[in-house]
Amino acid sequence: KKTKESLKAVYCWQYINCLRLWTAVLAAHHQTTPGLRPLLYPLIEIVTGTARLLPAAVHLPLRLHCVRILQRLAAASAAYVPSASILLEALALPEMTMRPRKKAAKAQAVRLPLVLRLSKEDTLRTPEQLDACVEEVFTLLNREADLYRYSPGFPEFSVKICQGLRRFCKENKNARYRAFARGCIEICEKYSTDIVRRRAALTQAPKDVRRLEFLKPPDLLDMGKRHEESLAREKRSELPLAPARSDGSPDADGKGAGDAPKRSRKKRKKAAKPVTITGADGADADAMDVVQEGVDWSDDGSDGRSSP
């Protein structure tokens, strides 16, 4: 039963980290340890059920975490793990097509890797939440298409994705989001055209094809390597600097926000340079100011010399 206590036991970081731990174990050792491969299917079912437990907009970050887990399992096991439908359901939320409210003065960017749920107030109604969620959805959709691009069934697999993205373009008025959708559609159509050409040259019947990447050229990377490269590119694209903290708490180097040296806005006065005054003949003023002895400087009208 979906009680409040049972939902809290599932929708928490402890549960998600347990799923990540088992995913890392199976992804690393399912080939070398025969007893671990049968655990892939139950784990996939658990992650899929967690993502579909509460399909509300407030829990969208947790569903995207589950999609990342499913894609890692698919890349490690070279098996088809459906997760595109979860992403298309996220784009079909009513909040995705609504016009966001005005940006708040002190709005902060949403960092989806660090949250499991959005705020109940104004869920997916602020530009910050919409931008973060839409970009994450299309990042995962492009990665989904790249995972199965060499499968003989990719043209049929991409039909539902393209239909959902075309519907999203018609209902959404944001030019940036529509550009994301068109770019993903172009990628799917490009991969589909290539697979149709390669599939026409096959001599085997579809029932005889056992490998997922049957049409992959031998000199190209497999699913696992492509997935690792995609994650590495995503990490490199992130900003290297953490956002500034407004509470003055210490950073990793032990310095707080208020420890930075403040530059004085006052301009420093330049020290006056000593000026040497010279006479007409180039002599210094000190030599000109020597008082001559025996001269009367009184104003009595005389010629300035003392009487004998």
Side-chain angles (χ1 to χ4, degrees):
K1 295 182 179 180
K2 294 182 181 180
T3 61
K4 184 179 293 186
E5 290 75 14
S6 61
L7 292 177
K8 286 184 178 180
V10 174
Y11 279 34
C12 63
W13 279 114
Q14 182 180 4
Y15 192 85
I16 296 300
N17 289 332
C18 288
L19 295 179
R20 289 176 174 175
L21 175 62
W22 276 105
T23 300
V25 171
L26 296 184
H29 302 289
H30 78 279
Q31 294 180 349
T32 58
T33 307
L36 291 180
R37 188 169 181 83
L39 299 178
L40 286 171
Y41 179 76
L43 181 59
I44 291 172
E45 289 295 313
I46 292 174
V47 177
T48 305
T50 303
R52 297 186 181 279
L53 185 59
L54 285 178
V58 68
H59 297 292
L60 182 57
L62 184 140
R63 304 181 72 188
L64 298 179
H65 284 300
C66 293
V67 172
R68 285 183 174 269
I69 294 174
L70 293 175
Q71 290 181 350
R72 185 177 181 183
L73 290 172
S77 61
Y80 172 67
V81 180
S83 59
S85 58
I86 301 176
L87 300 174
L88 295 177
E89 290 173 3
L91 292 179
L93 291 172
E95 292 83 357
M96 288 291 186
T97 57
M98 294 182 181
R99 187 174 181 178
R101 297 178 180 177
K102 293 183 179 180
K103 186 175 182 180
K106 297 182 179 180
Q108 296 181 356
V110 180
R111 302 185 64 182
L112 291 180
L114 304 180
V115 297
L116 288 181
R117 55 182 297 174
L118 301 173
S119 60
K120 291 185 178 180
E121 184 180 359
D122 296 337
T123 304
L124 285 181
R125 297 304 310 278
T126 62
E128 293 79 19
Q129 292 183 359
L130 272 176
D131 289 345
C133 293
V134 171
E135 289 179 5
E136 179 74 2
V137 168
F138 280 105
T139 297
L140 297 178
L141 266 179
N142 292 332
R143 189 170 296 160
E144 185 89 356
D146 185 71
L147 283 177
Y148 307 112
R149 60 180 298 186
Y150 295 116
S151 171
F154 184 83
E156 291 76 19
F157 164 76
S158 62
V159 169
K160 186 177 180 181
I161 296 178
C162 293
Q163 289 177 350
L165 293 180
R166 290 191 179 97
R167 190 182 307 112
F168 177 79
C169 288
K170 291 181 180 180
E171 297 176 355
N172 200 294
K173 303 300 181 181
N174 191 305
R176 184 163 172 261
Y177 300 164
R178 295 168 66 180
F180 288 158
R182 292 194 186 99
C184 189
I185 293 174
E186 292 177 359
I187 290 176
C188 292
E189 291 177 348
K190 176 183 176 182
Y191 293 163
S192 298
T193 303
D194 181 65
I195 291 302
V196 169
R197 179 179 57 83
R198 295 175 182 271
R199 197 168 58 181
L202 287 178
T203 57
Q204 296 90 341
K207 64 177 181 178
D208 299 331
V209 176
R210 299 298 181 184
R211 289 191 300 112
L212 181 63
E213 293 192 297
F214 187 77
L215 298 179
K216 183 184 75 66
D219 56 336
L220 298 181
L221 299 177
D222 57 2
M223 290 177 62
K225 297 296 183 182
R226 293 199 307 272
H227 184 261
E228 292 177 1
E229 284 194 353
S230 178
L231 293 177
R233 287 194 301 268
E234 183 180 0
K235 289 182 179 180
R236 289 195 298 267
S237 64
E238 294 178 355
L239 295 178
L241 298 178
R245 303 183 180 184
S246 58
D247 55 354
S249 57
D251 297 330
D253 56 354
K255 295 183 179 181
D259 296 339
K262 297 182 179 180
R263 296 183 178 179
S264 177
R265 296 184 179 179
K266 296 181 179 180
K267 296 182 179 180
R268 296 182 179 180
K269 295 183 179 180
K270 296 183 179 180
K273 296 181 179 180
V275 180
T276 304
I277 304 176
T278 59
D281 55 352
D284 294 341
D286 294 340
M288 298 174 62
D289 292 342
V290 177
V291 180
Q292 185 178 2
E293 294 183 1
V295 178
D296 186 8
W297 299 95
S298 61
D299 297 333
D300 56 354
S302 58
D303 54 356
R305 294 183 181 275
S306 59
S307 57

